[in-house]
Amino acid sequence: MRIGQGFDVHAFGEGGHVMLGGVRIPHDRGVEAHSDGDVVLHALCDAIFGALALGDIGRHFPPSQEQWRDVDSRVFLRHAAGMMRDRGYAMGNADVTVICERPKVGPHAQAMREIIARELGCDVECISVKATTTEKLGFTGRGEGIAAQACVLLVVA
Ligand SMILES: Nc1ccn([C@@H]2O[C@H](COP(=O)(O)O)[C@@H](O)[C@H]2O)c(=O)n1
Ligand SMILES: C[C@@]1(CO)OP(=O)(O)OP(=O)(O)OC[C@H]1O
């Protein structure tokens, strides 16, 4: 077994939706990012790369490379899942926490779980997505940005 954790932040910016866990959520702000700025999938990728001791998402998909501009972050997760499988591991379980005041994540959590499980090739019961505010404290509390943290346990396939 191998354990990994990941954390990602993106600032809110112009736009009318945010991508979270592969779900397009209408919102009065967008996020500033090189890719689609999906903090859930980026944190999950980093957790998988961390569990495999393969560096971080920026090492695999450098922000300096134009080819990752506006890319659907499921591409990154698919790549991380492939590296996991190539090394003989499968997803035991993953637990993600989204940190923001808005948008509300709860109504979209099940759709995110299903997308993530499909990309990782595991049962939806192995994927947890939850959310918290920071009680209006800090940058997430002020509505300046959105954060996500993820933990994964990889098991021998
Ligand atoms: N962006 C968010 C934040 C929170 N939730 C849900 O609300 C519950 C209460 O949040 P607290 O920060 O006051 O503990 C939380 O447990 C989530 O169920 C959400 O859906 N989206
Ligand atoms: C995903 C990448 C792709 O260039 O860029 P961003 O969308 O800005 O996201 P970040 O979480 O900063 O991770 C770095 C990059 O790998």
Side-chain angles (χ1 to χ4, degrees), residues 8-10 32-37 42 57-59 61-65 68 73 76:
D8 193 38
V9 171
H10 282 282
E32 293 174 5
H34 184 54
S35 67
D36 68 1
H42 295 183
I57 190 169
R59 178 174 136 193
F61 309 104
S64 55
Q65 290 180 357
W68 309 123
S73 292
F76 306 143

Side-chain angles (χ1 to χ4, degrees), residues 98 100-107 131-135:
V98 185
C100 61
E101 301 292 324
R102 294 189 309 118
K104 276 286 173 201
V105 169
T132 187
T133 69
T134 48
E135 303 292 351

Side-chain angles (χ1 to χ4, degrees), residues 29-157:
R29 314 291 312 275
V31 295
E32 293 174 5
H34 184 54
S35 67
D36 68 1
D38 190 323
V39 290
V40 168
L41 300 191
H42 295 183
L44 257 176
C45 285
D46 260 359
I48 295 169
F49 291 138
L52 299 169
L54 288 175
D56 56 39
I57 190 169
R59 178 174 136 193
H60 296 269
F61 309 104
S64 55
Q65 290 180 357
E66 212 34 47
Q67 71 193 99
W68 309 123
R69 183 167 298 284
D70 297 329
V71 157
D72 179 338
S73 292
R74 286 177 298 180
V75 168
F76 306 143
L77 187 61
R78 226 166 274 154
H79 176 84
M83 301 200 89
M84 171 184 80
R85 277 191 294 272
D86 288 349
R87 283 159 182 77
Y89 291 98
M91 184 58 59
N93 71 294
D95 185 18
V96 182
T97 303
V98 185
I99 306 159
C100 61
E101 301 292 324
R102 294 189 309 118
K104 276 286 173 201
V105 169
H108 306 283
Q110 180 62 20
M112 293 184 211
R113 293 176 68 207
E114 287 170 10
I115 288 169
I116 293 165
R118 189 161 61 236
E119 295 298 341
L120 296 177
C122 65
D123 203 277
V124 72
E125 267 67 48
C126 299
I127 306 298
S128 155
V129 175
K130 55 201 198 301
T132 187
T133 69
T134 48
E135 303 292 351
K136 298 202 161 54
L137 298 171
F139 74 88
T140 51
R142 290 188 295 272
E144 294 169 2
I146 186 164
Q149 57 188 27
C151 292
V152 299
L153 184 70
L154 308 189
V155 295
V156 174

